[in-house]
Amino acid sequence: MGMTQWYELRIVGSAGTRAGVGAEIKEGIAVGEDGRLCPVSSGKAMKFKSESDAEYHLNTATSPGIYKFEVVLCRDAAPVNPPSSTRASR
């Protein structure tokens, strides 16, 4: 998906959730593309186009275990432009 922003379902307390941000958590668990849980860092979390799409999935899918989930807004990192190289004249 070539989105610059999307939503993921993450276990409460994971990175990006209210509790995770407050505790400065850098890692966490999300619902994966295959519907199973996966590490946020794997890049294999299920991506939703809107918050309502994520909430709909949460309310209609069978969630694994007894976990509580939170919808998290995610964004691609802004591309970094390398500094222009300066060439010495000969």
Side-chain angles (χ1 to χ4, degrees):
M1 243 179 220
M3 296 184 283
T4 56
Q5 88 173 27
W6 64 92
Y7 295 86
E8 294 178 3
L9 292 170
R10 297 188 182 173
I11 291 179
V12 171
S14 293
T17 63
R18 287 182 290 271
V21 169
E24 298 181 13
I25 302 296
K26 303 290 184 216
E27 189 50 65
I29 304 294
V31 175
E33 295 167 347
D34 60 2
R36 299 177 74 168
L37 298 179
C38 70
V40 171
S41 61
S42 72
K44 301 217 183 266
M46 194 178 289
K47 294 180 168 94
F48 300 92
K49 292 181 182 180
S50 69
E51 184 174 6
S52 61
D53 287 349
E55 289 172 351
Y56 178 80
H57 181 81
L58 182 61
N59 291 324
T60 58
T62 303
S63 55
I66 56 170
Y67 303 104
K68 292 185 180 185
F69 293 88
E70 186 174 321
V71 176
V72 174
L73 174 62
C74 302
R75 293 188 171 101
D76 280 337
V80 177
N81 295 327
S84 54
S85 59
T86 53
R87 297 180 184 213
S89 301
R90 290 187 182 184

